[in-house]
Amino acid sequence: MNSRTRIRMLCEGALMVAAAQILSFIKLWEMPWGGSVVLAMVPMILFAIRWGLAPGIMAGFVFGVLQFMFDGGFAIGWQSIIGDYLLAFTALGLAGVVKGTKGAPFTGALLGGGARFLVHYVVGATVWAAYMPENFLGMDMTTPWVYSLIYNLVYMLPNILITIVVFALLSAPLGKFLRGEDIQ
């Protein structure tokens, strides 16, 4: 990668992280113990599918740091800081694996969003297990693994679906941009 392309990647990464951070403040819905439905995954997945795995992971990590700093740092210890912020948002960068493939925006959203969900799920079932209520959404909770599955699906599934819908709406007018064909 030449220096001009590298500078373009860094600038685009900074803009996408900034856009994601701004979008994260516009909460469509918020869970009581953290997690919300926002449009923030769109720019993060977009950057990863345009530039690839390593840049996507770095941008996700930076976004995770910003989320912890500016989203109130909803954590109960260093384990949840590392898991729910640093690892979970870094996992969005895994969407970069599908860079240049047909349907990259959609498979990238599923892959990155699914990886983020998996991190939140494991952290929820282990670190947050002590905070499991007896009843959640009208169901009796008997194990933190079931509780974490349901809790994290409630906000992560809409996030993934919204990201896919946005990409579907943008695929016709911005197809070359979504596929990264404008990068030289």
Side-chain angles (χ1 to χ4, degrees):
M1 181 181 310
N2 64 37
S3 63
R4 182 177 177 191
T5 306
R6 182 166 289 153
I7 291 170
R8 180 179 176 180
M9 177 192 61
L10 290 171
C11 290
E12 192 174 308
L15 288 171
M16 293 296 182
V17 169
Q21 185 63 35
I22 291 166
L23 289 170
S24 75
F25 292 130
I26 305 167
K27 297 180 186 328
L28 304 175
W29 189 61
E30 190 170 16
M31 295 291 288
W33 289 98
S36 55
V37 177
V38 293
L39 292 168
M41 277 182 33
V42 173
M44 299 309 301
I45 300 293
L46 176 59
F47 180 75
I49 62 172
R50 283 178 49 77
W51 292 97
L53 180 63
I57 285 175
M58 282 304 297
F61 179 80
V62 170
F63 182 52
V65 170
L66 292 175
Q67 280 293 283
F68 176 70
M69 290 172 51
F70 295 114
D71 199 35
F74 203 78
I76 58 170
W78 64 269
Q79 302 93 335
S80 81
I81 293 169
I82 290 172
D84 281 329
Y85 290 96
L86 303 181
L87 291 178
F89 291 104
T90 300
L92 290 173
L94 291 175
V97 169
V98 297
K99 173 189 171 191
T101 63
K102 185 175 181 169
F106 309 107
T107 54
L110 290 172
L111 183 62
R116 179 180 164 203
F117 163 76
L118 187 60
V119 172
H120 286 306
Y121 170 62
V122 171
V123 171
T126 56
V127 176
W128 289 91
Y131 296 91
M132 179 183 79
E134 290 181 20
N135 191 291
F136 183 67
L137 297 177
M139 296 176 274
D140 291 333
M141 294 292 114
T142 56
T143 171
W145 292 98
V146 172
Y147 168 65
S148 182
L149 177 73
I150 296 168
Y151 184 96
N152 289 295
L153 273 177
V154 166
Y155 72 93
M156 281 305 303
L157 191 58
N159 278 324
I160 294 167
L161 293 175
I162 287 170
T163 303
I164 290 170
V165 168
V166 169
F167 286 143
L169 293 172
L170 296 177
S171 64
L174 297 175
K176 288 183 179 184
F177 184 77
L178 291 177
R179 292 187 298 272
E181 293 174 2
D182 61 319
I183 302 169
Q184 299 174 8

